[in-house]
Amino acid sequence: MPDRDAGGFQERFYTSSDGLRLYARDYRPDEAASAGWLPVICLPGLTRNTRDFHPLALLLSRDPTAPRRVIAIDSRGRGNSAWDENKANYNLAIEAGDVIAACTTLGIERAIFIGTSRGGLILHLIAATHPDLLEAVILNDIGPVLEAEGLARIRDYLNNSRRPGDWNEAAGLLKENHGASFTALAEEDWREMALALYRDIGGRPVADFDPAIAEALKSIDFNQPLPDLWGQFESLGRLPLMLIRGENTSLLSQETAGEMARRHSGLILHTAEGQGHAPLLHLDNIPTAMRAFLAACR
């Protein structure tokens, strides 16, 4: 049976096709109130986890007019999901399969998906392989083309040897690394980000993911063109699609966003002002824009 957490969600554990124990948060409003509204499933970024979505999940599940069930997933090797002994399994295809396993376990036949960064790349694959699962998609600062500069920046700060000694230092380190591109954030936002990214181990914040995930970025040859997912993006063409792009992002170029809009005439583009990669979805007017998009989706 799932455990009830005081944070307003149920903790759910399920098993991947290769036997790994994986984790999700399940925000369930009153069934009568949410009847007729499709659930929302949230997929986090490369080294992030379900805590990134907590404020947004509360907003959507407690919406006074259209409360929806919200499920946030920890990918393998992140958050409360088990680390994989086979580090080669940290790849998009395997992680897409884990999302399918979560939907099967939780009884989800069709849903609206929100994918932040790597979560959005996973959705490109799901659109191509399991299109009937998707009713609509929100991509958070991600598209079929990744900018090498932005990916190299992610590689560098994830593999930085500096480790915070306490929670104030953790928030300060995040601000030092990302403050120039996240000018919209207040001090409490940096601390909230730290609480989402780090796990408390013995009173000290420790990054909440398998270090092998960051280590793998070192093997990328940035002198070679990065592969793109335009073929998979075409599978999103039949769906309602929203793209949230950070005003100061270095991973998703304006050119790529423009080409996405050209190929998907119905794409709704929202700019997250004063934010970089990847925008915090519960800040400023982003929830309002997302609610408007969701309102058109049952």
Side-chain angles (χ1 to χ4, degrees):
M1 291 294 291
D3 298 322
R4 171 63 66 182
D5 186 282
F9 56 88
Q10 294 174 328
E11 295 194 298
R12 308 295 297 265
F13 288 91
Y14 63 101
T15 303
S16 69
S17 61
D18 56 353
L20 211 61
R21 191 171 190 249
L22 304 178
Y23 172 85
R25 287 183 172 186
D26 193 350
Y27 299 77
R28 304 196 70 162
D30 177 82
E31 291 189 9
S34 60
W37 299 104
L38 285 172
V40 173
I41 298 180
C42 304
L43 309 181
L46 176 66
T47 58
R48 308 298 290 230
N49 57 71
T50 56
R51 296 193 295 277
D52 267 350
F53 293 105
H54 182 64
L56 178 69
L58 290 178
L59 286 172
L60 298 181
S61 62
R62 297 174 179 177
D63 187 286
T65 58
R68 294 180 186 267
R69 181 185 183 188
V70 180
I71 297 165
I73 293 174
D74 278 347
S75 298
R76 60 177 63 205
R78 292 87 158 177
N80 289 327
S81 286
W83 292 11
D84 199 321
E85 292 183 2
N86 182 357
K87 307 308 178 184
N89 284 340
Y90 295 132
N91 66 68
L92 294 178
I94 293 290
E95 291 167 23
D98 293 343
V99 174
I100 303 303
C103 292
T104 300
T105 300
L106 299 175
I108 305 298
E109 297 181 353
R110 196 166 182 83
I112 301 161
F113 284 79
I114 301 173
T116 291
S117 194
R118 186 179 181 88
L121 297 179
I122 290 171
L123 288 177
H124 280 69
L125 269 62
I126 292 176
T129 60
H130 293 75
D132 291 343
L133 187 59
L134 309 178
E135 174 66 26
V137 168
I138 298 175
L139 298 176
N140 183 19
D141 209 57
I142 197 67
V145 176
L146 304 181
E147 297 302 312
E149 175 190 355
L151 192 57
R153 184 175 299 175
I154 293 172
R155 174 202 61 193
D156 292 344
Y157 76 71
L158 287 180
N159 287 286
N160 190 314
S161 60
R162 289 177 60 189
R163 299 293 182 264
D166 57 37
W167 287 100
N168 288 332
E169 189 175 341
L173 185 58
L174 288 171
K175 184 176 182 180
E176 179 182 323
N177 286 330
H178 308 293
S181 57
F182 281 87
T183 56
L185 269 61
E187 290 302 321
E188 59 267 25
D189 296 319
W190 292 111
R191 180 167 179 80
E192 185 176 84
M193 186 186 293
L195 292 171
L197 178 59
Y198 295 96
R199 176 184 293 275
D200 190 314
I201 299 181
R204 181 172 182 171
V206 177
D208 200 9
F209 59 88
D210 186 340
I213 296 169
E215 183 72 20
L217 294 178
K218 295 180 180 179
S219 65
I220 298 176
D221 183 358
F222 288 98
N223 293 317
Q224 299 297 322
L226 298 174
D228 66 61
L229 292 174
W230 282 119
Q232 291 81 359
F233 179 79
E234 297 299 329
S235 299
L236 294 168
R238 64 178 182 81
L239 299 173
L241 181 63
M242 181 178 188
L243 173 63
I244 298 169
R245 180 178 182 271
E247 180 183 25
N248 304 317
T249 183
S250 60
L251 195 69
L252 177 63
S253 70
Q254 289 184 336
E255 290 74 16
T256 296
E259 180 63 14
M260 292 167 72
R262 188 188 72 79
R263 297 191 185 205
H264 190 302
S265 60
L267 182 143
I268 296 173
L269 175 61
H270 180 86
T271 300
E273 297 180 358
Q275 296 204 61
H277 181 80
L280 305 182
L281 297 178
H282 59 282
L283 295 184
D284 301 322
N285 60 351
I286 299 177
T288 300
M290 294 178 71
R291 279 194 180 106
F293 176 79
L294 292 172
C297 308
R298 291 302 299 184

